[in-house]
Amino acid sequence: MAIQSSIRANLYKDSVSLMRIAQVTVARSGVQRVTLLMGTRSNKEFLQQAGLMSPAFESAKPGDIMIVVADDSPDKLEAAEREIHSLIAGQDSKDGPTEAAAEAPPRSISGGVAVADHANLALISVPGPYAAAEALKALRQGLNVLLFSDNVPIEQERAIKRVAAHKGLLVMGPDCGTAIINGVPLGFANVVRPGVIGLVGASGTGLQEVMCQIHRHGQGISQAIGTGSHDVYSQVGGVTMLQGLELLAGDEATKVIAIVSKPPAPEVQKLVIERAGAIGKPVVICFLGGESATSIGNLHRASSLEETARRAVSLAGANEPGRDERIIGDLATRVCASLAPSQRYLRGLYSGGTFCLEAQTIWQAAGIRVRSNAPLDGADRLANGEDSHGHTAIDLGSDEFTVGRPHPMIDYGVRIERLLKEAEDPTVACIVLDVVLGYGSHLSPAEILAPAIRQARAAAKAKGRELPVICFVCGTDEDPQPFETQKAVLVDVGAELVSSSTDAALSAQAIATCMSAGEGAAVRRVMQGGERR
């Protein structure tokens, strides 16, 4: 594969803009890979690790855009380069001048405030080394902050959050990918109806899944406050989570609160539970991998994302949605009947880190030994995230997979490569995939995944094996991507579609349990009219 490198000097673009340009270019030109990064030292290190560093980039400055295009076709490479430079310049090659070119945005936070003096929130997406400085500028202007940037040193996160708390302002992030504030979706967020349930979470995809499940059960969201994943670390102290609880406690539109996070540091967990217990509203707490479901006073523990949504819906005054456990059992029975004795292991290929954690929680509870590149307590860390071993849950949104590439909710290339690789492994019993809809996500993820699912299943079939692929769609019927269409595309290529991240993990667990007990052959005999058990 040929790699073509170039620099666009003296023009800053935030990471979201660069990801979008890369996505559009890949879609239009058909090239295999497009990487756009600002010329910072850390980004050069990323390119070096990914094998994409060019001598031309050595002189790139932090205000320069480094451009990498990879493909086998010289014509595609040239077409992609033209597309990139047109989009960077604000000139869409298909539609003429873009809105950005017609109306140049402010180039600083103070400039933005001058244009929109009524604004009270700044969304910041700049390289990590510069993010804290920009956040402080916003706080000095009296703005709350959603800090989309990642790779911000934790001591800087602690410092800016202390400044914000002193000023009575809120910093969501760093690495905050999802929020809904006063009905406005920010980052990766879904379109959900307004309602009385307020969410606060150190998890982007966790918030998305819970809000989507709440929407499907007929209730709505008042606010969804993201904290960033490091907020619950002892070094930060849960500053934003505690502020979020205070804000939801005082919000008249919020009648029920739900918290979604991996288990916080013990001292942070104690503070959060104490504060939640003092709120005069029911609070559902989901610390994935923490304590099992219980209810004490106004606090209601949940052990999964789906249970969090169901409990919140019930506490909001609706009938708690039921669950038909037979669906999972029937799926597992049918799938196990088609598997070869060698097929024993689960592979979760997740774009959302919380989905990866939830799967580990469910599988560990069933006595399944799990390995991961982002292990929950009790799971084993993979020696190399590129290679699965035994039962494996992979967070493909972690830094090791996003070096020089857009997030896997935008760019499905890494996940497709991994899916096809796992299909060659004769020990794989099933693969689990999440498909995330909403703002910021791919415009039609199912259509991108479907050919790869078909190819993976056909490759296994050619070697005498069936390959079950379990999918769930995190989205709503109001998202930009047609929800029912996305599901239909997946079903059409033979994917096993379930209704939630929780059911996907439980279905996989049931398959693994069946196969590890050696029941696959027995199930086959029953279904073929042979031996009864």
Side-chain angles (χ1 to χ4, degrees):
M1 185 166 60
I3 297 176
Q4 192 163 295
S5 305
S6 61
I7 294 176
R8 176 67 160 82
N10 299 318
L11 180 63
Y12 176 78
K13 294 277 186 182
D14 65 63
S15 59
V16 176
S17 298
L18 293 177
M19 283 193 294
R20 274 293 173 201
I21 291 171
Q23 180 188 8
V24 171
T25 301
V26 168
R28 290 181 178 176
S29 67
V31 289
Q32 295 181 37
R33 181 167 187 170
V34 172
T35 297
L36 302 175
L37 292 171
M38 300 307 299
T40 64
R41 179 186 298 175
S42 60
N43 282 342
K44 291 177 185 178
E45 291 173 356
F46 287 163
L47 291 177
Q48 191 72 47
Q49 294 167 23
L52 298 174
M53 186 61 181
S54 164
F57 295 152
E58 295 293 346
S59 61
K61 300 178 178 64
D64 300 338
I65 302 173
M66 301 182 294
I67 302 169
V68 181
V69 184
D71 200 86
D72 296 320
S73 166
D75 290 340
K76 285 185 179 181
L77 289 173
E78 292 303 321
E81 282 276 349
R82 290 194 299 272
E83 189 74 49
I84 289 167
H85 286 286
S86 293
L87 292 168
I88 286 175
Q91 181 79 24
D92 192 312
S93 62
K94 291 186 177 294
D95 303 318
T98 63
E99 184 179 337
E103 210 172 303
R107 297 181 65 85
S108 68
I109 289 172
S110 58
V113 171
V115 172
D117 57 4
H118 59 284
N120 64 1
L121 185 144
L123 193 158
I124 297 174
S125 178
V126 299
Y130 308 100
E134 294 303 315
L136 288 172
K137 291 176 187 176
L139 294 172
R140 292 191 193 104
Q141 296 280 348
L143 300 174
N144 299 286
V145 172
L146 186 143
L147 197 50
F148 190 86
S149 307
D150 58 7
N151 293 308
V152 177
I154 201 160
E155 62 273 12
Q156 293 183 13
E157 176 175 350
R158 181 174 63 245
I160 60 176
K161 288 188 171 182
R162 286 180 177 176
V163 170
H166 179 72
K167 289 177 171 288
L169 298 171
L170 185 70
V171 173
M172 294 176 282
D175 198 21
C176 177
T178 301
I180 297 177
I181 305 298
N182 294 334
V184 178
L186 301 169
F188 295 107
N190 298 89
V191 184
V192 295
R193 67 174 60 84
V196 299
I197 300 173
L199 306 177
V200 58
S203 156
T205 48
L207 285 179
Q208 286 187 267
E209 176 71 357
V210 171
M211 70 173 68
C212 289
Q213 293 292 332
I214 288 170
H215 176 93
R216 289 184 215 168
H217 294 317
Q219 294 292 310
I221 303 300
S222 57
Q223 312 284 347
I225 300 171
T227 71
S229 59
H230 294 163
D231 185 74
V232 296
Y233 287 14
S234 59
Q235 298 97 314
V236 181
V239 173
T240 303
M241 184 167 284
L242 294 169
Q243 283 183 296
L245 287 173
E246 291 285 353
L247 290 169
L248 294 176
D251 180 27
E252 292 185 2
T254 300
K255 308 302 181 188
V256 176
I257 299 170
I259 302 171
V260 180
S261 174
K262 64 182 179 182
E267 65 273 24
V268 176
Q269 181 166 322
K270 183 174 183 291
L271 287 172
V272 170
I273 291 174
E274 287 176 354
R275 181 64 196 102
I279 293 174
K281 300 176 180 181
V283 181
V284 183
I285 300 175
C286 179
F287 292 149
L288 286 169
E291 295 180 22
S292 58
T294 55
S295 293
I296 300 175
N298 71 316
L299 304 182
H300 306 267
R301 294 274 195 166
S303 59
S304 69
L305 299 176
E306 185 182 63
E307 185 181 17
T308 302
R310 288 192 289 109
R311 288 203 164 205
V313 166
S314 175
L315 291 165
N319 292 328
E320 181 167 339
R323 281 179 55 80
D324 188 351
E325 302 288 352
R326 292 173 300 177
I327 294 174
I328 293 171
D330 291 348
L331 187 157
T333 299
R334 174 167 46 80
V335 165
C336 286
S338 69
L339 298 181
S342 65
Q343 295 178 267
R344 291 177 173 271
Y345 296 121
L346 309 178
R347 301 289 157 81
L349 307 181
Y350 295 104
S351 65
T354 307
F355 297 146
C356 182
L357 287 176
E358 182 184 41
Q360 291 177 65
T361 299
I362 289 171
W363 297 351
Q364 282 183 300
I368 296 172
R369 181 183 178 187
V370 189
R371 294 172 174 84
S372 178
N373 65 323
L376 192 66
D377 288 346
D380 296 329
R381 180 173 292 277
L382 285 170
N384 179 2
E386 297 285 350
D387 297 316
S388 298
H389 183 66
H391 300 292
T392 301
I394 293 289
D395 174 12
L396 290 165
S398 67
D399 288 347
E400 65 193 287
F401 292 106
T402 56
V403 171
R405 302 191 75 148
H407 192 278
M409 282 159 52
I410 298 173
D411 179 358
Y412 275 66
V414 171
R415 194 140 51 132
I416 287 171
E417 291 171 10
R418 189 60 174 263
L419 169 63
L420 297 177
K421 180 179 179 179
E422 300 289 1
E424 297 295 325
D425 186 342
T427 69
V428 173
C430 78
I431 294 172
V432 183
L433 300 173
D434 59 284
V435 180
V436 183
L437 311 184
Y439 295 116
S441 295
H442 194 284
L443 297 177
S444 187
E447 291 184 7
I448 296 296
L449 267 181
I453 293 173
R454 184 186 288 113
Q455 183 181 344
R457 298 184 72 239
K461 188 77 171 178
K463 296 185 177 180
R465 291 180 282 109
E466 295 295 331
L467 181 65
V469 179
I470 300 174
C471 295
F472 65 94
V473 179
C474 175
T476 76
D477 54 357
E478 297 185 24
D479 278 328
Q481 307 89 342
F483 183 60
E484 294 300 328
T485 300
Q486 297 295 306
K487 293 196 297 182
V489 169
L490 296 169
V491 171
D492 190 52
V493 294
E496 301 285 352
L497 195 67
V498 296
S499 62
S500 68
S501 63
T502 305
D503 277 358
L506 286 170
S507 298
Q509 173 243 300
I511 291 168
T513 302
C514 171
M515 295 306 294
S516 66
E519 295 179 356
V523 171
R524 281 193 290 276
R525 288 194 294 272
V526 170
M527 295 189 72
Q528 292 165 2
E531 175 187 337
R532 295 282 172 183
R533 299 179 71 243

